[in-house]
Amino acid sequence: MAASSVAASELLYNMKKQILILHPKVSCIIRRISTRSPRRYNQPQPSAKSAPEQLVGVVGLEIHAQIHSNTKLFSGSSVCFSAPPNSLVSFFDASLPGTLPVLNRRCVEAAVMTGLSLNCTINRKSLFDRKHYFYADLPAGYQITQQRRPIAVDGMLTYSFLGGKKRNQVIRKNVHIKQIQLEQDSGKSLHDDLRSQTLIDLNRAGVGLMELVMEPDMSCGEEAAAAVRELQLILQALGTCQGNMSEGQLRVDANVSVHRPHEPLGTRTEVKNINSVRYLARAIDYEIRRQIDVLQRGGMVQNETRAYDSKSGETVPMRDKEGLQDYRFMPEPNLPPLIVYEDNASLPTGTDLCQAVVVQKIREGLPELPSVRRDRLVQTYGILTEHSFTLVNEDGLVEYFEAVLKATKRAPRNVIGWVTNELLSYLKQHDMSVSQSPVTPPALAELLELQEMGHISSSVAKQVFQEMWRSSGKTATQIIHEQDLGLVSNTAQLHSICQKVVDSHPDEVHAIRNGNKKVLNKLMGLVQKETKGRADPVLVRTILQEKTS
Amino acid sequence: MLSLTLREVSLALREGRISPTELCRKCLNRIKKTQHLNAYITVTEELALKQAQEAETRLLQGADMCVCISSILCRVIGVTVPSFLPLGAPKGPLDGIPFAVKDNFCTENIKTTCASKMLKDYAPPYNATVVQKLLDQGAVLMGKTNMDEFAMGSGSTDGAFGPVRNPWSYAASYTEKTGAVPESDWVVCGGSSGGSAAAVASLTSYLALGSDTGGSTRNPAALCGVVALKPTYGLLSRHGLIPLVNSMDVPGIMARSASDAAIVLGILQGLDMRDSTTVAAPSSPTELPEHFDVKNICVGIPKEYHAPGLSEETLMQWSRVTDMFERAGARVEQVSLPHTQHSIVCYRVLCHAEVASNMARFDGLEYGLRSKVDSSTEAMYASTRHEGFNDVVRGRILSGNYFMLKQNYQHYFVKAQKVRRLIADDFKHVFSSGVDVLLTPTTLSDATRYSDFTQEDNQTRSTQEDVFTQPVNMAGLPAVSVPTALSRRGLPIGLQLIGPALQDKKLLSVAQWIEQRVGFPSIRDSSESRNETGVTKREQTSAV
C-alpha cells in the first residue's frame, strides 16, 4: 500500500510540472490545490487513464459598492453606518404612497468617476428600471436599478499581485468590467428565531449602490482577491466608496465554475456572504476544489447560490429565497432618462451648471490612481515594486513616506524599510491607521538624520524608535540625551574597553594574527555588547585592528 | 352665494359681503344636507373652520391695510403693497375659498384612503404639493372626496365607501322630465373623481382636485356639469398623489368656470423639486382674456371620435358647438387620428402593468392594513392584499404582472409602448398641420342610472367611458371638459377640447368662449329646501 501511494504522489508531481508548463496561467490554482488540503477536498485524484487537460476554475464577480455620499440615491436621508435603527428613513425610503424618487447628483458623479477610472464608456443617456420582488426589507416591492441601459459599460481593470516562488514577482492581469449600474440598496432584516419575528431596519434602504460586473476572466481566488483589492484602492482613492467589506460598503459575490480550457464554461454557482478579501480568495478556491471534486466523482455541479462559512472555510448551499424569480422589469416612470454631458460646450442652453453632470470636468478632477502611483514611486525613488505595493496598500502610507523623505537627506532606499517594516508593524500591532501614528514623519526623519550623522548606531535607532512610540511627543534627540544612548566616541574610553576584550580573548586574537580577519567581527560584537551598542563602529574597528595586528 | 363662481365669491369676500367663516359654515351645512350623495369620505369640519378663521383675520387686516398703507405709503415711496404687508395679509384670490380634494392626494394627518380598505385608516405625514399650494394660498379644505378604489373605475361606484350619487339625480330637471324617483333612479356621477365633481356640482366646494389618468377628472365633470382641466403632463406636481399610472397621472382641476380653473392652474403649475417629471410653467399669466377671438383659430374635429355608442344627443351638442365656431369665423377642419382605435387596449396594458408595480408596496408592513394572518411573511402579504384590495384592483394587479413577465414583456408592454408613441404622434401631426384645438365629446352620453351602470363590470364600463379621454393621457396633452347643455333627461352633457402640450391656458380660453355662449345652467343654491335642487341659468347668453 505504502509503496503504491508514494508512486501515485510522484506521478502527480510529474503531472503538475507538465501542466505548469502547458498552462502557466493556471499556476496558482494548481499550487493552491496541491499545497492546501482542507478536510474534504484533498489533492485532485489523477484519472487512471491518459491525463486529459485539467479542470480549471473560472471566476466572475458581481460587486456592490455603496456610494460614499451624504444622502441616499433618491432621497434626502443621511447615510451613516451604525445609526440607531430606522433613524435615517425618509418618507420615500419607507415607500409612503405618493412619494417620488429624486436622483442624487453626487451618486451620478461617483458612478461616472468610477467608470472613468475603470476605463469604461460612459453612456450619455442611461435609464432606470424597476425590479420587482417581495421582501420585507424592500419596502416598495421593487428596487430601482439600471437594467436596460446602465451609466457605464465596457471597462477594464488592470490589477497586479506578487507571485512566483519568493512572492516577489509582479504578475499583471486584466479583467473586463461589463457594466456599472446605479441602484438602490435594500434595508436589513434581522430574524429573531426565538420569537419568530423579523425586525426591519430601513436605514440602509435607498442608499446608492454601484453594481459592478466583472467578467469571468479570473481563474482563482488569488486573482479575484487581487482584482477586488485593486478596485478597493481605486474606489478609496476616488472617494466614491469607502470600500470596507466588513461593514458591507463593498459586497462581493463570486460566480464560480470549472471547465477544461477551450471547452464551454461549466455550470456556475454563486457564492455569497463573503466579507473580506482574504475570505474571498478562500471561498473561491474552496468552491473550485469542490466543483472539481464533484465532477471527478462523476457528479454534476448544481446551479445554485452558496454561502461561505468563514469558520469552516466551506461553502454551503443557501436556502434559495429567490428561486426562479421573474423580476418583471419595467421602466421607472418617475425618473426621466439620466443625461450626462461630455463637456460644457455640449450643455444645452439654459442648463443649470450646478445641476449638470459634465464628464470632462470629472475626468480633469480624477486623483492619481493606485497603479500610476506605484509606478511613480518605483521610478521616482528607486524602491522595489513590492515596497510600492505595501506603500499604496496602506491608506496614508505613501504620504507618510514622502513626508519623511522631504525632511531628511537620506536616500529613499534607506527610508523605505523604516516605513514598511518598523512603522507598519507597530501600526498593525496596535491596530492603528497611519494617521494615528504617534511618530510623525518629521520625528522619524530626525531619528534617521541622527543615525546618518553617526550620533547613534542602527540598533540604538530602533531602540529610540520604540521609545518614541511609547512616549509620544518626545523627540529622538531628547530620548538619546535622557537615556544616554549617544555613540561613545571618546577614544580613550574605547581604547580601554577594546583592551579589555583583547586581553580576555587570546584565542581570537591569535586567530586574527594568523590571518583569519573575520574573527575581528566577533571582537567588535563583544565591544558593542560592553557599550550596549553605543560604540562608534568605525572607531572600534580601527582600535581593534591596531591592537590585534 | 354658494352657486357663485370662485372669482365671484372671492370678490364677495373682499368686499365683506360674506366672511370666510360664514361661507365655510354654509358649505359645511350644505355638505350635511347633501350627505346622501356620498361625495365625501372625510369632512374636515374643525380644520376648515380654523382655516376659515385665519383667512378671516387676514382679510380683515387686509381691509385696514388698504386704507392706511396702500393709499399713503405706497404712493409716496413707490413700492408695491405686498412687500409692506405683514404676514397676516390676504393671500390671493383663493384666501378663504372652500375646496375639496380627492382622497388619493396625501393630506397631512388627515385620512387619505384611496377609497380602499387597504388605507382605511391611513393618515399621511405630509401634504401633496398641489394640496400644500392651495393651503398656502389660504384656501379652506372642506374634506376628502369619494372615488373608485385607487382611482380604478369610471363611475365612482367601486370604492370601499360606497358609490357617489350624481347631484343632478335630485334636480328638478331630471326628476320632472323623466319622472324618476331619485332614491331608486339616481344616476352615477362618473369617475373615478366622482366625489370631487359632485362636491363642485352640489355647491359644497368652489373647486376640487381630481386626478386624471384616463379621463378620471373630465368624465365625472362632464356627467356632473362642471368644468375640468386635465393639465399637460408634468405641469402640475404629482408628489403626494397616490399613483395609478405614473406616466399618465395628472392632478386635475374641477371648477365652475374655465376662468376659475385658470386661476387655480396659475397657482398649482410649475416645477417641483420633489417630482422629477415636472416642467417649468409657461411664463405668461393664466388670467384668461374676457373676450377671446376665435376667428384666428383652427378647430379640428377628429373623425375617429364618431365612435359606436355615441349618443344622438351628445353628437348633436358636438355639432352645435362646431357650428358655433364656424359661425364665429373659426376654421373648422375634419382631422384624423388613425391610431385612436388601438388606444384603449394599449392603455389597459400599460395601466395594468404600472398598477401591478405601484401596488406592490401595499404589503401591510410599513402602513395601511395588516392582516391578522401571520404564519409567515408570505402568508401575511397574501392575506393583507386579498383583504385590502377589491376585485378590480386585484384583477389589474394580476393582469399587469402577466404583461410584465419576461416571456410577455415584449409582446405586451413594449408593443403597447410603441403604439402609445404612434398615438402621441397622431396628435403631433394634427397640431403641426395648423390645428389649434380639437373638439370632441367627453363621454358617449349623459349619466347612466346606477342600476343600469352596474349591469356591466368595471372593465367594460371603463372601456366605454374612457374611450374619448384616455388617448390624451397617452400623449400627455392638456384637455378641458366644458359643460354644454342638459340632455332630454335633464342631465349634463360635456364636450372636450384637446390642445398641444403646454397650451393649457389657450385651451381654457377657448373653453370659456364656449361657456359664454352655450348657457349651461347650474344647480341653484337651495340651502333652504333640503334634497330639492332647482336649476337656474347662471348666465344669460345671446349666442344660442
Side-chain angles (χ1 to χ4, degrees):
Chain A
M1 268 317 279
S4 75
S5 84
V6 167
S9 74
E10 258 177 23
L11 183 71
L12 182 67
Y13 178 75
N14 293 331
M15 251 178 58
K16 268 187 300 182
K17 277 209 298 200
Q18 225 175 355
I19 292 159
L20 278 170
I21 295 157
L22 287 172
H23 304 289
K25 261 178 85 176
V26 302
S27 60
C28 57
I29 315 164
I30 306 292
R31 181 161 40 72
R32 286 294 162 102
I33 290 168
S34 56
T35 53
R36 292 196 178 195
S37 45
R39 273 165 291 166
R40 281 172 56 206
Y41 299 110
N42 297 326
Q43 298 164 345
Q45 300 299 310
S47 66
K49 296 174 192 168
S50 71
E53 283 187 295
Q54 274 282 1
L55 285 164
V56 296
V58 176
V59 182
L61 300 176
E62 223 178 86
I63 298 167
H64 287 93
Q66 222 175 53
I67 298 171
H68 182 45
S69 65
N70 295 329
T71 57
K72 295 183 181 180
L73 182 56
F74 296 122
S75 80
S77 334
S78 304
V79 177
C80 178
F81 175 62
S82 50
N86 294 310
S87 62
L88 308 173
V89 186
S90 71
F91 298 156
F92 175 79
D93 304 327
S95 80
L96 294 198
T99 53
L100 298 167
V102 179
L103 183 58
N104 180 346
R105 191 168 48 93
R106 155 71 193 162
C107 293
V108 177
E109 287 171 347
V112 171
M113 271 179 109
T114 308
L116 289 173
S117 305
L118 297 174
N119 310 298
C120 289
T121 306
I122 306 296
N123 278 327
R124 295 292 167 264
K125 175 177 156 185
S126 60
L127 304 167
F128 290 98
D129 304 281
R130 291 181 179 180
K131 175 182 180 179
H132 298 88
Y133 60 97
F134 280 106
Y135 204 68
D137 54 27
L138 185 76
Y142 56 81
Q143 174 198 35
I144 304 179
T145 177
Q146 293 196 301
Q147 187 232 0
R148 286 169 300 164
R149 201 169 164 79
I151 185 147
V153 292
D154 196 18
M156 171 86 81
L157 169 70
T158 303
Y159 62 95
S160 325
F161 54 98
L162 298 172
K165 268 187 187 162
K166 287 185 176 169
R167 301 224 133 239
N168 59 1
Q169 195 182 324
V170 178
I171 299 169
R172 205 174 279 254
K173 299 227 164 174
N174 292 322
V175 56
H176 288 92
I177 309 285
K178 185 175 170 227
Q179 62 185 53
I180 302 175
Q181 64 192 46
L182 282 166
E183 62 184 32
Q184 295 171 299
D185 208 339
S186 64
K188 282 181 184 166
S189 299
L190 293 160
H191 301 288
D192 180 349
D193 290 331
L194 267 180
R195 273 174 273 186
S196 70
Q197 275 185 333
T198 300
L199 302 169
I200 310 290
D201 178 6
L202 293 181
N203 280 354
R204 205 182 66 177
V207 171
L209 291 179
M210 295 179 279
E211 192 199 81
L212 290 103
V213 179
M214 287 190 189
E215 301 278 18
D217 300 338
M218 293 154 287
S219 57
C220 62
E222 185 172 32
E223 287 185 10
V228 168
R229 181 67 191 126
E230 188 69 11
L231 176 70
Q232 219 174 12
L233 290 172
I234 291 173
L235 295 174
Q236 285 165 346
L238 296 174
T240 57
C241 169
Q242 290 178 298
N244 187 332
M245 281 183 78
S246 60
E247 287 187 8
Q249 288 153 351
L250 197 68
R251 302 196 278 275
V252 183
D253 298 334
N255 291 315
V256 179
S257 65
V258 296
H259 75 148
R260 292 194 167 78
H262 314 302
E263 283 180 13
L265 294 182
T267 308
R268 67 177 200 194
T269 60
E270 189 179 4
V271 185
K272 292 186 179 240
N273 196 36
I274 302 168
N275 57 15
S276 79
V277 172
R278 203 155 16 114
Y279 290 152
L280 174 69
R282 289 186 193 165
I284 289 170
D285 288 337
Y286 175 88
E287 183 58 19
I288 291 171
R289 283 193 306 275
R290 187 191 69 83
Q291 290 186 15
I292 289 176
D293 186 73
V294 166
L295 293 178
Q296 288 181 342
R297 287 166 199 265
M300 295 233 303
V301 174
Q302 299 296 316
N303 181 3
E304 63 184 352
T305 306
R306 300 178 68 87
Y308 178 67
D309 178 357
S310 57
K311 283 196 187 113
S312 66
E314 295 175 359
T315 68
V316 289
M318 266 171 93
R319 197 176 67 86
D320 207 344
K321 66 186 176 201
E322 284 163 15
L324 264 181
Q325 277 261 24
D326 189 323
Y327 291 118
R328 291 156 291 134
F329 284 101
M330 75 163 213
E332 166 55 60
N334 294 319
L335 289 167
L338 165 56
I339 309 284
V340 297
Y341 300 96
E342 180 51 42
D343 47 32
N344 280 340
S346 56
L347 285 173
T349 46
T351 314
D352 186 353
L353 273 176
C354 306
Q355 290 302 314
V357 174
V358 181
V359 175
Q360 180 76 39
K361 219 160 66 189
I362 293 172
R363 193 180 282 125
E364 283 163 6
L366 286 179
E368 185 181 44
L369 294 178
S371 60
V372 177
R373 200 166 218 207
R374 282 190 289 259
D375 291 348
R376 176 177 67 83
L377 290 170
V378 170
Q379 277 170 18
T380 314
Y381 303 117
I383 58 174
L384 296 173
T385 308
E386 57 243 57
H387 284 147
S388 75
F389 271 84
T390 312
L391 283 179
V392 171
N393 265 343
E394 199 61 39
D395 191 29
L397 202 58
V398 174
E399 288 78 3
Y400 190 102
F401 174 64
E402 293 188 312
V404 176
L405 287 183
K406 251 190 205 148
T408 169
K409 287 189 283 289
R410 298 197 64 174
R413 278 168 170 284
N414 297 325
V415 176
I416 188 70
W418 278 91
V419 173
T420 57
N421 293 333
E422 265 66 33
L423 177 71
L424 202 54
S425 59
Y426 272 98
L427 288 171
K428 293 262 140 96
Q429 256 171 48
H430 297 88
D431 196 22
M432 287 162 94
S433 68
V434 176
S435 61
Q436 293 169 312
S437 165
V439 181
T440 63
L444 177 59
E446 186 196 348
L447 174 68
L448 299 184
E449 280 299 288
L450 290 170
Q451 186 196 349
E452 172 76 2
M453 280 151 47
H455 290 300
I456 49 172
S457 65
S458 67
S459 59
V460 167
K462 283 177 187 166
Q463 210 181 318
V464 173
F465 182 81
Q466 200 177 351
E467 200 52 45
M468 285 166 78
W469 188 275
R470 247 185 265 138
S471 50
S472 165
K474 275 188 189 167
T475 64
T477 317
Q478 275 173 327
I479 291 167
I480 293 164
H481 187 75
E482 278 173 22
Q483 305 195 1
D484 194 20
L485 295 171
L487 273 187
V488 180
S489 36
N490 179 327
T491 320
Q493 197 183 343
L494 284 179
H495 261 289
S496 87
I497 294 169
C498 287
Q499 193 57 56
K500 234 166 73 188
V501 169
V502 167
D503 290 347
S504 53
H505 294 86
D507 294 350
E508 282 77 4
V509 174
H510 185 71
I512 295 167
R513 288 194 175 131
N514 282 343
N516 192 351
K517 301 285 178 200
K518 278 184 188 167
V519 179
L520 189 74
N521 290 336
K522 187 180 176 184
L523 296 184
M524 279 191 69
L526 291 167
V527 174
Q528 287 296 2
K529 202 176 168 189
E530 263 330 275
T531 60
K532 297 202 178 82
R534 289 159 50 229
D536 183 337
V538 182
L539 218 52
V540 173
R541 181 172 287 272
T542 320
I543 296 168
L544 283 176
Q545 276 168 349
E546 253 172 46
K547 292 190 190 294
T548 54
S549 54
Chain B
M1 190 57 71
L2 289 182
S3 62
L4 295 179
T5 64
L6 190 163
R7 185 179 289 274
E8 288 160 352
V9 80
S10 181
L11 193 66
L13 287 171
R14 298 284 156 148
E15 290 173 350
R17 281 184 276 136
I18 190 167
S19 77
T21 46
E22 274 176 88
L23 187 64
C24 179
R25 284 216 170 82
K26 271 179 188 286
C27 286
L28 288 168
N29 284 335
R30 181 86 185 156
I31 289 174
K32 282 186 190 118
K33 280 178 186 157
T34 56
Q35 224 163 22
H36 55 279
L37 299 178
N38 201 17
Y40 289 83
I41 291 174
T42 306
V43 178
T44 49
E45 182 168 347
E46 252 177 68
L47 176 75
L49 285 168
K50 182 173 159 273
Q51 289 175 330
Q53 187 58 56
E54 287 165 7
E56 191 153 322
T57 312
R58 284 190 298 266
L59 285 168
L60 285 173
Q61 279 186 3
D64 295 344
M65 291 296 170
C66 285
V67 183
C68 68
I69 297 182
S70 70
S71 55
I72 310 161
L73 274 176
C74 296
R75 234 175 292 152
V76 175
I77 311 173
V79 291
T80 51
V81 180
S83 61
F84 262 87
L85 289 181
L87 285 168
K91 294 189 160 178
L94 294 190
D95 208 0
I97 306 280
F99 76 105
V101 175
K102 188 179 182 178
D103 213 17
N104 59 350
F105 286 95
C106 290
T107 42
E108 190 176 346
N109 297 326
I110 298 168
K111 275 187 199 170
T112 299
T113 69
C114 284
S116 175
K117 275 190 211 156
M118 185 60 88
L119 294 178
K120 186 165 60 71
D121 298 311
Y122 176 63
Y126 73 102
N127 280 324
T129 298
V130 283
V131 171
Q132 189 62 51
K133 283 186 168 181
L134 291 175
L135 294 175
D136 289 346
Q137 289 293 314
V140 176
L141 178 65
M142 307 308 291
K144 304 295 294 292
T145 59
N146 204 348
M147 55 189 281
D148 286 300
E149 181 163 335
F150 282 103
M152 297 180 206
S154 55
S156 300
T157 53
D158 283 323
F161 301 97
V164 185
R165 299 180 178 199
N166 192 320
W168 289 86
S169 311
Y170 298 86
S173 59
Y174 175 64
T175 52
E176 283 167 17
K177 280 184 184 170
T178 59
V181 182
E183 282 312 308
S184 57
D185 295 328
W186 60 273
V187 296
V188 300
C189 63
S192 63
S193 315
S196 288
V200 176
S202 64
L203 313 179
T204 60
S205 283
Y206 289 86
L207 75 114
L209 293 180
S211 64
D212 195 314
T213 310
S216 280
T217 300
R218 288 158 289 157
N219 174 289
L223 300 188
C224 292
V226 300
V227 172
L229 169 67
K230 179 253 165 225
T232 303
Y233 182 83
L235 191 56
L236 267 60
S237 167
R238 292 181 293 114
H239 172 251
L241 167 60
I242 298 179
L244 176 59
V245 183
N246 302 282
S247 63
M248 299 189 213
D249 290 343
V250 289
I253 298 167
M254 290 176 170
R256 300 203 186 129
S257 74
S259 137
D260 286 0
I263 293 173
V264 180
L265 173 67
I267 285 157
L268 298 185
Q269 67 181 2
L271 277 175
D272 180 8
M273 284 297 288
R274 295 187 177 88
D275 178 357
S276 309
T277 63
T278 49
V279 294
S283 51
S284 61
T286 49
E287 183 91 1
L288 300 184
E290 190 57 38
H291 300 289
F292 183 78
D293 192 0
V294 297
K295 262 200 198 94
N296 301 319
I297 70 162
C298 177
V299 180
I301 309 293
K303 62 178 183 191
E304 289 79 7
Y305 281 61
H306 287 273
L310 179 63
S311 80
E312 183 205 325
E313 278 189 283
T314 306
L315 178 61
M316 218 174 70
Q317 289 306 319
W318 191 11
S319 310
R320 174 183 162 223
V321 174
T322 309
D323 290 345
M324 271 184 202
F325 276 116
E326 213 151 32
R327 258 181 279 134
R331 208 165 83 237
V332 175
E333 266 180 29
Q334 193 185 65
V335 297
S336 174
L337 301 164
H339 297 93
T340 302
Q341 50 175 323
H342 306 297
S343 191
I344 192 83
V345 180
C346 295
Y347 171 78
R348 202 178 300 151
V349 172
L350 298 174
C351 170
H352 293 197
E354 277 197 41
V355 163
S357 174
N358 288 332
M359 295 295 144
R361 69 188 58 215
F362 298 104
D363 55 13
L365 286 183
E366 281 83 15
Y367 39 79
L369 181 84
R370 183 187 293 180
S371 167
K372 291 200 168 62
V373 175
D374 62 353
S375 54
S376 74
T377 311
E378 286 74 19
M380 191 194 76
Y381 286 161
S383 56
T384 295
R385 291 163 70 77
H386 184 85
E387 292 164 24
F389 294 139
N390 69 6
D391 290 350
V392 177
V393 178
R394 289 209 308 277
R396 290 197 189 185
I397 291 172
L398 187 66
S399 55
N401 275 316
Y402 175 81
F403 298 142
M404 285 196 293
L405 286 178
K406 207 173 179 186
Q407 78 221 45
N408 298 335
Y409 184 76
Q410 286 293 326
H411 193 62
Y412 291 96
F413 193 88
V414 172
K415 218 174 246 180
Q417 274 189 318
K418 285 180 180 165
V419 181
R420 180 180 186 174
R421 173 63 60 86
L422 293 175
I423 289 161
D425 286 347
D426 277 357
F427 283 109
K428 221 179 272 170
H429 292 149
V430 166
F431 290 125
S432 63
S433 75
V435 171
D436 294 293
V437 291
L438 295 170
L439 180 68
T440 80
T442 310
T443 57
L444 289 168
S445 66
D446 59 1
T448 312
R449 282 199 313 174
Y450 176 71
S451 51
D452 295 331
F453 189 86
T454 48
Q455 294 303 306
E456 301 278 7
D457 67 13
N458 180 292
Q459 175 150 316
T460 312
R461 281 301 178 194
S462 297
T463 307
Q464 294 163 349
E465 295 292 328
D466 292 345
V467 64
F468 298 139
T469 46
Q470 47 73 31
V472 167
N473 297 81
M474 298 278 269
L477 302 176
V480 176
S481 177
V482 53
T484 313
L486 292 184
S487 68
R488 279 193 291 273
R489 295 161 70 216
L491 297 174
I493 291 174
L495 291 181
Q496 175 178 234
L497 291 163
I498 303 168
L502 298 174
Q503 298 281 330
D504 304 59
K505 183 194 164 191
K506 185 174 183 184
L507 217 49
L508 285 170
S509 302
V510 180
Q512 181 178 250
W513 184 89
I514 297 175
E515 192 177 75
Q516 285 165 346
R517 281 155 187 81
V518 293
F520 183 79
S522 98
I523 296 180
R524 181 167 32 107
D525 178 358
S526 56
S527 42
E528 280 101 301
S529 56
R530 186 177 183 276
N531 280 6
E532 197 187 295
T533 325
V535 169
T536 177
K537 295 237 167 181
R538 187 196 298 147
E539 283 182 68
Q540 298 298 326
T541 55
S542 52
V544 192

